[in-house]
């Protein structure tokens, strides 16, 4: 059943939180699968670029994709009255999340980074519980989130002890997961009154000067080179993730329940294992199968209809 809830005063835009149906769930799972390649591509890119320079190049590509698509669809990118302060708030959250993700990934292993960034559905559900009407935590939803996250842990746990790691890097990536959960909820609220394409275009535009400034301040003199591997990683991060996935996810989030959709992204670490198998030759283990079953069970519990 479709649900609409209003927050604030009568003039405040209605927050739409419909139940996701089969096609939307399938699209979200596709996005979750594609997002699984993001951390590996970041790790590859960090071999040739420092964190802030990598973020700048990634989002320049993403901005070209989003801006081009908006122009093609005839969506005006001109800011309207009252939109800039809200976009600045969202941009601040976005910048902090990306800084923590890139920096934390640099100082920890890929496996640990994957598991810590993917705690963000917990934070999304928590923030949505307080700020989005109609998305309160229930016993089945809470149980589903716990079961799905246990699937992520089972999948990644066998690799947690491999190689050197840094607790500081883990903590930084965990903070990034918190910011990401907050960003999902704030985005959900803002796109009720700001077109998703305009929101994304300005989100990237406003964030780019920050990455340039931080790179000039902290990364001056560090080696940078554009190799075939880093070029492919940048195109994936910028074109596929910051372009296609950002556009599709924001458009879906505009209408459908954030807390129910976001749990689908517990499948992202599983697809990360698949990407590692396909492109890096990592073995597919029993833990992957068990983890996939647990994630599927958690997704079912969260999206079960009463």
């Amino acid at each position: 059943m479709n649900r609409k809830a209003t927050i604030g005063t009568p003039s405040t835009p209605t927050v739409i939180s419909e139940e996701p149906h089969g096609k939307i769930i399938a699209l979200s799972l596709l996005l979750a699968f594609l997002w699984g390649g993001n951390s590996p591509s970041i790790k590859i890119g960090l071999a040739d670029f420092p964190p802030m320079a990598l973020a700048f190049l990634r989002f320049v590509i993403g901005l070209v994709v989003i801006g081009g698509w908006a122009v093609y669809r005839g969506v005006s990118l001109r800011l309207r009255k009252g939109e800039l302060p809200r976009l600045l708030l969202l941009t601040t959250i976005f910048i902090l999340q990306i800084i923590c993700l890139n920096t934390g990934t640099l100082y920890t292993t890929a496996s640990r980074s994957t598991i810590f960034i993917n705690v963000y559905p917990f934070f999304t559900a928590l923030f949505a519980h307080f700020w989005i009407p109609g998305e309160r935590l229930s016993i089945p939803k809470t149980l589903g989130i716990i079961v799905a996250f246990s699937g992520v842990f089972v999948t990644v746990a066998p690799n947690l002890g491999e190689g050197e790691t840094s607790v500081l890097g883990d903590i930084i990536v965990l903070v990034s997961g918190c910011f990401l959960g907050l960003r999902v909820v704030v985005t959900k609220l803002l796109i009720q009154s700001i077109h998703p394409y305009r929101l994304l275009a300005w989100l990237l535009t406003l964030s780019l000067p920050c990455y340039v400034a931080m790179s000039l301040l902290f990364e001056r003199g560090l080696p940078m080179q554009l190799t075939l591997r880093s070029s492919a990683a940048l195109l994936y991060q910028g074109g596929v993730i910051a372009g296609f996935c950002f556009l599709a996810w924001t458009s879906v989030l505009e209408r459908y329940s954030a807390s129910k959709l976001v749990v689908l992204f517990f499948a992202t670490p599983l697809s990360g294992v698949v990407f590692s198998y396909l492109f890096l030759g990592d073995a597919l283990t029993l833990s992957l199968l068990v983890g996939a079953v647990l994630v599927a069970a958690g997704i079912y519990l969260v999206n079960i209809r009463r």
Side-chain angles (χ1 to χ4, degrees):
M1 182 176 68
N2 293 352
R3 297 173 299 170
K4 293 187 178 181
T6 304
I7 61 173
T9 64
S11 61
T12 302
T14 298
V15 179
I16 304 173
S17 291
E18 295 184 5
E19 300 280 353
H21 54 75
K23 291 183 178 179
I24 295 300
I25 290 175
L27 173 60
S28 298
L29 283 173
L30 171 62
L31 298 178
F33 178 81
L34 293 174
W35 242 300
N38 193 43
S39 289
S41 66
I42 288 176
K43 200 69 177 179
I44 292 172
L46 287 172
D48 292 325
F49 292 95
M52 294 303 99
L54 183 68
F56 172 76
L57 294 172
R58 170 190 177 184
F59 293 122
V60 165
I61 297 172
L63 181 59
V64 170
V65 174
I66 291 170
W69 183 250
V71 171
Y72 173 75
R73 295 298 301 270
V75 176
S76 174
L77 298 180
R78 180 178 299 178
L79 284 176
R80 297 178 181 176
K81 184 178 180 180
E83 289 184 347
L84 182 58
R86 289 178 289 168
L87 287 171
L88 286 173
L89 170 64
L90 181 62
T91 301
T92 301
I93 298 171
F94 176 66
I95 290 171
L96 291 173
Q97 186 247 314
I98 296 300
I99 289 174
C100 290
L101 176 60
N102 282 20
T103 305
T105 301
L106 183 65
Y107 291 110
T108 190
T109 64
S111 296
R112 298 180 75 96
S113 175
T114 297
I115 196 169
F116 282 112
I117 188 61
N118 280 285
V119 302
Y120 82 89
F122 280 112
F123 294 109
T124 298
L126 180 63
F127 293 135
H129 175 80
F130 293 106
W131 294 340
I132 301 180
E135 298 213 17
R136 298 186 65 82
L137 286 171
S138 62
I139 292 177
K141 185 182 291 186
T142 304
L143 179 61
I145 291 173
I146 293 172
V147 171
F149 182 72
S150 68
V152 174
F153 183 80
V154 166
T155 301
V156 182
N159 300 321
L160 292 183
E162 296 181 1
E164 298 180 357
T165 185
S166 167
V167 175
L168 177 61
D170 297 341
I171 294 173
I172 294 173
V173 176
L174 180 62
V175 173
S176 177
C178 180
F179 280 125
L180 179 54
L182 178 61
R183 178 163 69 89
V184 170
V185 172
V186 174
T187 299
K188 169 72 177 177
L189 294 172
L190 293 188
I191 55 180
Q192 306 303 313
S193 57
I194 303 176
H195 194 284
Y197 300 170
R198 186 163 67 251
L199 179 144
L200 286 173
W202 280 98
L203 176 67
L204 298 186
T205 299
L206 292 171
S207 69
L208 289 178
C210 178
Y211 301 131
V212 172
M214 295 194 67
S215 183
L216 291 175
L217 284 173
F218 303 112
E219 299 173 347
R220 186 187 297 269
L222 294 180
M224 301 184 194
Q225 58 178 345
L226 191 62
T227 63
L228 182 60
R229 281 173 60 84
S230 62
S231 298
L234 275 171
L235 288 175
Y236 189 88
Q237 294 173 56
V240 177
I241 303 300
F244 170 72
C245 287
F246 274 26
L247 282 169
W249 170 238
T250 307
S251 298
V252 168
L253 191 62
E254 179 183 15
R255 190 166 191 87
Y256 297 95
S257 169
S259 59
K260 287 200 169 187
L261 284 173
V262 78
V263 76
L264 300 172
F265 286 80
F266 275 126
T268 296
L270 305 183
S271 68
V273 174
V274 174
F275 273 105
S276 297
Y277 167 72
L278 292 175
F279 297 105
L280 302 176
D282 291 355
L284 294 177
T285 62
L286 178 62
S287 63
L288 173 62
L289 177 60
V290 175
V293 171
L294 289 172
V295 169
I299 290 171
Y300 172 76
L301 287 172
V302 169
N303 287 280
I304 193 171
R305 305 295 178 94
R306 284 185 254 181

